[in-house]
Amino acid sequence: MTTTVQQRTPFVPWIFYQTLVQRRRTLLYWMAAMGGLTFYTASFYPTLVEGNQQALNDLVNQLPPYMEALFGQMAGFTSPEGYLDAKLYLLFMPFVLMVYTIRFGLSIIAGEEQAKTIDILLANPISRTRVVLEKYAAMLVATALIVASVAAGVWLAATLYTFDIDTRGLIAISLHLYALIITLGTLAMFIANATANTWGAAGITALVAVVSYFINSFAALSETAERLRPLSLFYYYRGHEPLFSGVHVGDLLVFTTLTIVFLVLGVIAVNRRDLGT
Amino acid sequence: MRAIIEMQDLTKYYGQHRGVEDLTLIIEEGEVFGFLGPNGAGKTTTIRLLLDFIRPTRGWAKVFGLDTREHSIEIRRQVGYLPGELALYDNMRADQLLRFFANLRGGVDWAYVEDLADRFQFDMSRKIGQFSRGNKQKLGIIQAFMHKPQLLILDEPTSGLDPLMQQEFYRLIDEGRAEGRTIFFSSHILPEVERVCTRVGIIRDGHLVDVQDIATLKQRSLRRIEFRFAEPIPQGAFDHLPNVTAAEYNSHTVRFTVQGQVDPIIKAVAAYTVEDVVSHKVSLEEVFMAYYRPEPQKEVRHA
């Protein structure tokens, strides 16, 4: 039999495309739910503060310091930024959205192994590296859309209910949030790529997030926590209060560096081991 | 003849657990090679080693003369693979999956895909999650054949197919063979191997026990002949005959187990009055069963 002439087709990121197509419904649910929830939360701001400013401030001043440490800087609660920071960006959004990125990260290789679809996918003439990178790129795009829909929810509420929100701060906190959850998703992917253990990878990543959160929160109260603070991912997320003071480039560089390291390690790990055993 | 698959001392352990051990085998261009063995013998392990999903503990394998570890992508470009434990993306439609794979490969003739779907009476417009086992298997077969690969690696390809579709699949294999494709085919269904394969390798407990041409196996296989005579036959009357591996005497009847020519027996029994004769070949199945048994049966081994 004569060897068929190899057709050199131009590179098209089919796996990237297919991943987004397959996940489009889930992605839309997430965007609608997170955007909607944000809008709903933000739209309560005017009713809450109207005429209650003084009472709220008095209440906040009576709270013990550890409450403030855990649940945000209540002093700024009565400004739109302070309200949104405490209600959404401090705790809720990072922990809910990391569920999306961690699950996505796990699905990139380990999820295909568990579903046993990895064999039929890799029957095609594609490298493991290509699968990881294209699906990873899909994660970057999908997560960006969710974070953007959260910001859009805030913006829409501010427009409709006529309160001022600092656009620069909103963009900054969105970027920091995005960097945080992508870093966690990449960490989860790296562990799962190395071990094929999705539960372990999810557990370790969640633990890193929770410990990060507490270290950063208690930094004001405890000297030990203050010293450990550079080890906390949450320190780089909102240690410099991006919602109030804008983008902190150094923090984003830390996230970018970590993400690249986890991604490279994740690619190396998955090329070294047996798949689907 | 070009070697399409070569294995040399190919060994895979999963930790302490044995996968396969010291497989050495060459499969040449145009062969339809049946890889036969009971479940858990190491068929799938061998196939997954060839595709570089898992890596050998020692030894090596080459496909098209290329090392499976170094040149996996080039190899897979010319391989059609049907996994044994077939899992597909349930939320996709069949045609979406096939388009996706065709795009990843490039140069797939979509008319041929539609042709294959027609042959297997397969509805490509449905969601994969709604498919029965047999329909998923058809989809697996179509994706393995659609780019007309030089080598087909099929892990238990007919499982889940109804008999009609099995026949269609055998025809597809025959066509592939006529076109000079090489087919590596794992199975535990003996008549199937006998039907489509030119050569067979038997794997048991991770070891390649034997490799034989199907024709040789059939030739070597045994024949049973039973004669009924008009008169009682004394015990041991025909024991000296060549090619007789066993003879049972039961008054008027004698049952021979013969390997090779039956002529000496016919000549010998002609001395008596033969009332009836029944003859049948021992099926390949019986030959294979002997390989499968932990302790190979003497009678067949030395036959």
Side-chain angles (χ1 to χ4, degrees):
Chain A
M1 188 183 151
T2 50
T3 312
T4 24
V5 181
Q6 302 268 305
Q7 268 171 294
R8 283 274 157 228
T9 38
F11 177 82
V12 181
W14 292 113
I15 305 165
F16 166 80
Y17 171 74
Q18 189 58 49
T19 305
L20 286 179
V21 167
Q22 253 179 284
R23 290 173 158 271
R24 67 187 184 285
R25 199 160 297 154
T26 322
L27 177 60
L28 285 174
Y29 289 151
W30 272 87
M31 288 171 69
M34 291 299 110
L37 201 78
T38 309
F39 174 76
Y40 179 78
T41 309
S43 59
F44 270 103
Y45 170 73
T47 8
L48 190 74
V49 289
E50 240 164 54
N52 295 330
Q53 221 123 358
Q54 191 51 50
L56 270 173
N57 277 334
D58 289 348
L59 177 72
V60 162
N61 288 334
Q62 285 165 12
L63 287 174
Y66 67 86
M67 287 292 286
E68 192 170 277
L70 271 181
F71 299 111
Q73 310 232 320
M74 303 287 182
F77 195 81
T78 50
S79 76
E81 288 82 8
Y83 173 78
L84 291 171
D85 193 43
K87 288 288 266 189
L88 291 174
Y89 288 107
L90 173 76
L91 180 69
F92 183 79
M93 275 303 159
F95 277 93
V96 171
L97 294 193
M98 79 174 64
V99 172
Y100 185 80
T101 55
I102 290 172
R103 287 182 53 177
F104 207 130
L106 299 179
S107 78
I108 286 177
I109 291 287
E112 298 248 9
E113 289 181 89
Q114 274 174 2
K116 299 195 182 297
T117 48
I118 192 84
D119 273 40
I120 201 115
L121 179 61
L122 284 179
N124 294 289
I126 51 175
S127 67
R128 297 176 184 189
T129 304
R130 180 175 164 189
V131 174
V132 172
L133 293 182
E134 285 198 36
K135 291 180 97 180
Y136 186 80
M139 175 171 99
L140 293 181
V141 170
T143 308
L145 289 172
I146 295 174
V147 172
S149 68
V150 169
V154 172
W155 178 82
L156 194 66
T159 310
L160 282 179
Y161 299 102
T162 57
F163 59 88
D164 281 330
I165 181 98
D166 177 18
T167 315
R168 202 177 59 106
L170 183 61
I171 291 171
I173 191 70
S174 300
L175 282 175
H176 279 243
L177 175 64
Y178 181 68
L180 170 73
I181 60 178
I182 286 294
T183 303
L184 288 165
T186 316
L187 173 64
M189 180 199 74
F190 157 54
I191 300 170
N193 280 8
T195 63
N197 181 344
T198 49
W199 283 107
I204 291 171
T205 309
L207 191 69
V208 167
V210 170
V211 170
S212 276
Y213 179 75
F214 279 110
I215 289 176
N216 186 57
S217 299
F218 282 118
L221 301 177
S222 139
E223 239 174 78
T224 321
E226 178 63 43
R227 269 199 306 275
L228 290 173
R229 219 176 169 198
L231 295 176
S232 161
L233 290 176
F234 270 77
Y235 171 61
Y236 303 102
Y237 167 48
R238 51 182 303 288
H240 299 102
E241 301 191 330
L243 190 53
F244 302 93
S245 61
V247 166
H248 197 272
V249 177
D251 290 348
L252 294 184
L253 276 177
V254 171
F255 281 130
T256 309
T257 309
L258 283 174
T259 298
I260 291 171
V261 168
F262 294 149
L263 177 60
V264 168
L265 289 176
V267 166
I268 292 172
V270 87
N271 276 294
R272 288 170 65 101
R273 73 172 169 90
D274 290 345
L275 293 180
T277 54
Chain B
M1 271 291 153
R2 186 159 75 109
I4 296 293
I5 299 178
E6 295 164 81
M7 303 173 204
Q8 183 68 53
D9 302 322
L10 191 64
T11 300
K12 177 65 187 176
Y13 287 105
Y14 301 105
Q16 297 282 29
H17 204 77
R18 171 200 49 68
V20 294
E21 209 160 39
D22 299 317
L23 302 183
T24 299
L25 177 66
I26 292 179
I27 295 167
E28 287 175 344
E29 189 160 17
E31 281 198 76
V32 180
F33 189 91
F35 200 45
L36 195 64
N39 293 329
K43 301 189 293 286
T44 300
T45 297
T46 310
I47 285 171
R48 298 188 84 244
L49 281 165
L50 292 177
L51 292 157
D52 194 41
F53 298 156
I54 54 176
R55 275 67 185 266
T57 310
R58 64 166 187 274
W60 51 261
K62 288 182 182 175
V63 177
F64 311 128
L66 302 168
D67 186 85
T68 52
R69 298 255 4 231
E70 301 297 318
H71 303 281
S72 181
I73 295 175
E74 285 121 288
I75 290 170
R76 281 180 277 142
R77 212 182 296 282
Q78 281 302 327
V79 169
Y81 166 54
L82 174 65
E85 208 174 321
L86 182 62
L88 303 154
Y89 303 101
D90 283 349
N91 58 354
M92 286 172 88
R93 286 202 323 263
D95 56 348
Q96 288 172 331
L97 182 87
L98 292 168
R99 289 266 186 210
F100 175 41
F101 286 175
N103 285 333
L104 285 176
R105 290 194 172 276
V108 171
D109 173 10
W110 192 253
Y112 183 59
V113 177
E114 285 173 339
D115 180 42
L116 285 171
D118 282 349
R119 286 183 62 168
F120 284 98
Q121 297 161 24
F122 178 70
D123 180 4
M124 289 199 288
S125 65
R126 282 173 56 198
K127 271 254 169 75
I128 294 171
Q130 298 168 354
F131 281 138
S132 65
R133 175 91 182 77
N135 269 319
K136 281 186 185 166
Q137 197 68 11
K138 290 179 190 175
L139 179 51
I141 290 169
I142 293 169
Q143 66 80 34
F145 279 81
M146 68 177 180
H147 53 292
K148 301 185 175 175
Q150 284 184 54
L151 170 63
L152 285 142
I153 297 180
L154 310 169
D155 197 352
E156 312 229 344
T158 54
S159 65
L161 290 185
D162 64 50
L164 218 60
M165 289 302 129
Q166 278 181 23
Q167 291 308 317
E168 192 57 51
F169 172 75
Y170 297 149
R171 276 195 286 279
L172 198 60
I173 295 277
D174 290 342
E175 287 168 23
R177 185 176 154 192
E179 289 159 4
R181 296 181 213 292
T182 310
I183 297 160
F184 183 84
F185 179 132
S186 94
S187 179
H188 60 249
I189 306 162
L190 305 156
E192 167 172 294
V193 170
E194 192 179 349
R195 159 74 177 75
V196 297
C197 297
T198 51
R199 208 153 63 104
V200 61
I202 292 156
I203 186 168
R204 200 187 67 211
D205 297 335
H207 292 270
L208 200 56
V209 186
D210 201 0
V211 180
Q212 288 289 343
D213 282 345
I214 287 282
T216 314
L217 269 180
K218 282 184 181 169
Q219 249 172 34
R220 282 199 342 179
S221 71
L222 307 168
R223 179 178 288 279
R224 294 237 166 84
I225 309 181
E226 190 178 316
F227 292 97
R228 203 173 73 236
F229 296 99
E231 62 267 50
I233 303 298
Q235 282 279 338
F238 302 111
D239 278 3
H240 61 284
L241 292 174
N243 297 349
V244 172
T245 57
E248 289 168 50
Y249 300 84
N250 190 357
S251 175
H252 286 63
T253 61
V254 182
R255 279 172 78 188
F256 297 100
T257 307
V258 189
Q259 205 230 324
Q261 290 274 320
V262 295
D263 186 61
I265 300 167
I266 302 297
K267 297 270 160 69
V269 299
Y272 301 84
T273 311
V274 177
E275 284 192 334
D276 193 13
V277 56
V278 183
S279 168
H280 68 270
K281 275 204 142 182
V282 174
S283 68
L284 264 190
E285 179 143 356
E286 282 180 69
V287 178
F288 286 127
M289 285 311 290
Y291 283 110
Y292 279 14
R293 281 189 197 106
E295 192 71 288
Q297 220 182 26
K298 275 242 158 60
E299 190 195 16
V300 180
R301 253 290 163 91
H302 299 288

